[in-house]
Amino acid sequence: MNTRKALLFLVVLVFSTTIYGQSEYQFGILPAINLNKGLKQGYKINFKVESRQTFEQGLFEDDNPFEYDYILTDFTTLLAKKVAYNKTVTVGYLFRVRGDQIVHRSIQQYIWTNNLPRFRLSHRIAADQTFNSQSAPEFRLRYRLASQIPFNGETVDPKEFYVKVNNEYLNQFESGSYDLEVRLTPFLGYSITDKKKLEFGLDYRVNSFLDGPASHRFWIALNYYLSL
Amino acid sequence: MMLIPTLSYGQQKLENEVRISRSDVPKIALDFIDTAPFNKKVRWYKEYFLGGTSVEAKTRFNGKRYSIEFDSDGNLEDVEIDHRWKQAPEPVRQRMEDYLKEQFERYSLDKLQFQYSGATHEVFEWLHGRLAASALQLRYEVVIHTKVKGRYKRFEVLFDADGNYIKSAEFIPKNVDNIEY
């Protein structure tokens, strides 16, 4: 699916589900720090801390108050191995702290990146398995397309702005039920150096639209990438 | 017996291009492009490499991607045209493949450019179709990626018109962590 079709699909989803009038939403922030360290023999370790905090939530038609609420923090560690010049396989583990609830998730990913004449494209196929003591295991199969377009020239260079757009489709299976989640995340990025990047944008997620009013989440995201 | 020089891993190539406006382009480079027969939009870039800068004009012409390179003063250096691998003459292609296989065993081709150079007025006449390409010096610039001693690397390798190795440089890799994770 090309980007234009994906956007059209998303717009149709948003409008077709909003007219139900019962769609719920969350609005908040999603700051993340992403550390990467190259190891020997093509291995790399990635450590990410991401926190979710909401400011507003409820049904679209209600007048919901502005109310700060801390939700969770994720700690993710991935071990990546380059299997070709532009292909990487990763395995990892996510540890989620949500109040007094602890969530465990195992992760497997296959990532390949294309260098096109004026931008980069990265594809990611991933599977993850989520376990916690209070609900049934959840299994997800996901595909993400990420594109990075420099403001200037053909590659992102230090002290240069860029646009990054991610589009992801998550198939979720839990206790015999299926749900699809779609994510669209446009970011404005700034390359401080080749190893330090800062990104700011919207992380939009929609799910539960297959069999009822959709659930929308709008996160203001701030990502910091540091390669050691 | 043909002597095949060993690939030097010492030379490195930095990929750092910045878009510039026409007002930042040296006048002689601007004059050359403005009087060349290009009919599509021309984008100007300043390229930074280890030890200097150059100016580059990029456009499409006759259905192909053209890069016209000038030194920092605006003097023409060469014209590079993107081509498919099979568009290189078969014996030349074979010689380049033999060299690359001998050096790397396994590699993947990223890009091939035909690189034309010569006196500025000759290149100008050739672009206008008034001079045969054979009047110019032709070289082949090949970009490959491969694995060397357990590490994945990308190289630019330059061959002469007969497919003989001239020189090569290893690209300094760009960090792509932010679109992988």
Side-chain angles (χ1 to χ4, degrees):
Chain A
M1 184 180 287
N2 62 33
T3 310
R4 189 177 294 177
K5 282 182 181 170
L7 278 171
L8 183 65
F9 177 60
L10 200 65
V11 167
V12 169
L13 276 181
V14 170
F15 282 96
S16 64
T17 54
T18 303
I19 56 171
Y20 285 157
Q22 297 297 316
S23 295
E24 60 178 23
Y25 75 96
Q26 269 186 317
F27 172 71
I29 57 169
L30 193 68
I33 295 176
N34 210 307
L35 301 175
N36 292 282
K37 169 76 178 160
L39 305 171
K40 286 181 179 174
Q41 298 190 324
Y43 284 95
K44 189 184 272 188
I45 194 153
N46 167 265
F47 180 66
K48 182 181 178 183
V49 183
E50 186 178 71
S51 174
R52 283 187 213 173
Q53 292 140 64
T54 55
F55 294 136
E56 207 176 288
Q57 54 190 322
L59 298 176
F60 272 110
E61 70 267 32
D62 291 345
D63 189 16
N64 299 301
F66 183 91
E67 200 170 62
Y68 173 81
D69 188 18
Y70 164 81
I71 303 177
L72 59 84
T73 300
D74 286 338
F75 301 90
T76 310
T77 305
L78 296 173
L79 180 66
K81 164 77 175 156
K82 254 186 183 296
V83 292
Y85 178 74
N86 55 352
K87 298 181 177 77
T88 304
V89 171
T90 73
V91 291
Y93 168 68
L94 175 145
F95 180 77
R96 170 172 291 173
V97 181
R98 184 174 194 149
D100 56 359
Q101 189 185 359
I102 301 296
V103 176
H104 306 275
R105 177 178 291 162
S106 49
I107 302 166
Q108 306 83 40
Q109 299 175 338
Y110 177 63
I111 303 159
W112 71 102
T113 305
N114 301 125
N115 288 327
L116 299 173
R118 295 197 63 202
F119 64 101
R120 283 181 200 272
L121 269 185
S122 173
H123 307 265
R124 185 179 78 185
I125 293 175
D128 60 51
Q129 305 81 36
T130 305
F131 307 94
N132 72 74
S133 59
Q134 295 172 20
S135 58
E138 181 188 40
F139 302 93
R140 302 193 298 182
L141 190 62
R142 30 204 299 194
Y143 167 74
R144 187 192 71 183
L145 179 67
S147 57
Q148 178 181 269
I149 306 161
F151 270 24
N152 213 328
E154 302 209 337
T155 57
V156 172
D157 302 312
K159 297 183 173 50
E160 185 178 321
F161 283 97
Y162 59 91
V163 170
K164 187 175 95 172
V165 180
N166 294 350
N167 187 201
E168 186 167 17
Y169 297 83
L170 297 88
N171 299 278
Q172 302 169 322
F173 305 90
E174 184 178 356
S175 299
S177 66
Y178 169 78
D179 192 20
L180 175 66
E181 178 173 318
V182 180
R183 297 181 181 179
L184 183 66
T185 56
F187 286 107
L188 175 66
Y190 181 71
S191 177
I192 302 162
T193 68
D194 192 46
K195 294 183 172 183
K196 293 179 189 170
K197 291 188 176 78
L198 195 61
E199 297 176 348
F200 175 78
L202 176 71
D203 185 325
Y204 169 66
R205 304 175 181 187
V206 58
N207 68 341
S208 301
F209 53 82
L210 294 176
D211 54 0
S215 172
H216 305 265
R217 272 101 62 217
F218 303 88
W219 306 108
I220 300 295
L222 185 65
N223 297 336
Y224 179 64
Y225 289 87
L226 174 64
S227 298
L228 303 169
Chain B
M1 184 179 145
M2 187 178 70
L3 288 175
I4 299 177
T6 303
L7 186 66
S8 162
Y9 297 129
Q11 291 176 316
Q12 290 196 304
K13 185 179 169 79
L14 180 69
E15 278 184 294
N16 192 344
E17 283 183 340
V18 174
R19 184 94 182 262
I20 56 174
S21 63
R22 282 174 59 88
S23 59
D24 298 321
V25 177
K27 188 174 182 308
I28 48 174
L30 211 52
D31 289 346
F32 181 89
I33 294 296
D34 285 348
T35 51
F38 302 128
N39 48 13
K40 295 270 171 67
K41 183 176 180 177
V42 176
R43 291 186 171 90
W44 287 96
Y45 297 89
K46 186 172 187 177
E47 188 173 353
Y48 293 82
F49 50 86
L50 300 175
T53 63
S54 63
V55 174
E56 195 173 357
K58 294 189 180 193
T59 189
R60 290 187 78 87
F61 184 53
N62 293 333
K64 294 198 179 299
R65 204 180 290 272
Y66 277 57
S67 299
I68 305 94
E69 300 206 348
F70 304 88
D71 68 17
S72 55
D73 295 325
N75 301 303
L76 180 71
E77 291 188 331
D78 56 55
V79 175
E80 295 172 347
I81 308 170
D82 285 10
H83 279 274
R84 293 176 193 278
W85 184 244
K86 295 219 163 162
Q87 288 174 319
E90 202 278 332
V92 175
R93 209 166 64 221
Q94 191 60 55
R95 189 164 289 172
M96 292 192 291
E97 282 174 358
D98 289 346
Y99 175 81
L100 293 169
K101 275 180 194 158
E102 181 166 334
Q103 289 297 324
F104 302 113
E105 289 184 22
R106 294 183 67 180
Y107 64 91
S108 295
L109 186 78
D110 287 343
K111 189 160 82 167
L112 167 67
Q113 288 186 312
F114 288 18
Q115 188 188 84
Y116 294 95
S117 59
T120 303
H121 69 277
E122 288 178 335
V123 174
F124 185 80
E125 292 298 306
W126 163 69
L127 285 170
H128 278 277
R130 298 190 290 252
L131 186 71
S134 56
L136 305 176
Q137 182 185 64
L138 171 61
R139 288 175 165 179
Y140 299 96
E141 193 178 282
V142 179
V143 176
I144 58 137
H145 63 261
T146 184
K147 193 176 182 181
V148 178
K149 294 177 184 169
R151 294 182 74 91
Y152 293 98
K153 297 185 173 190
R154 194 159 166 251
F155 290 94
E156 181 182 271
V157 190
L158 190 65
F159 296 93
D160 70 13
D162 297 319
N164 298 311
Y165 169 84
I166 298 174
K167 65 177 181 177
S168 65
E170 179 189 336
F171 283 98
I172 297 172
K174 288 271 181 187
N175 188 312
V176 293
D177 289 342
N178 67 313
I179 57 168
E180 288 192 340
Y181 303 109

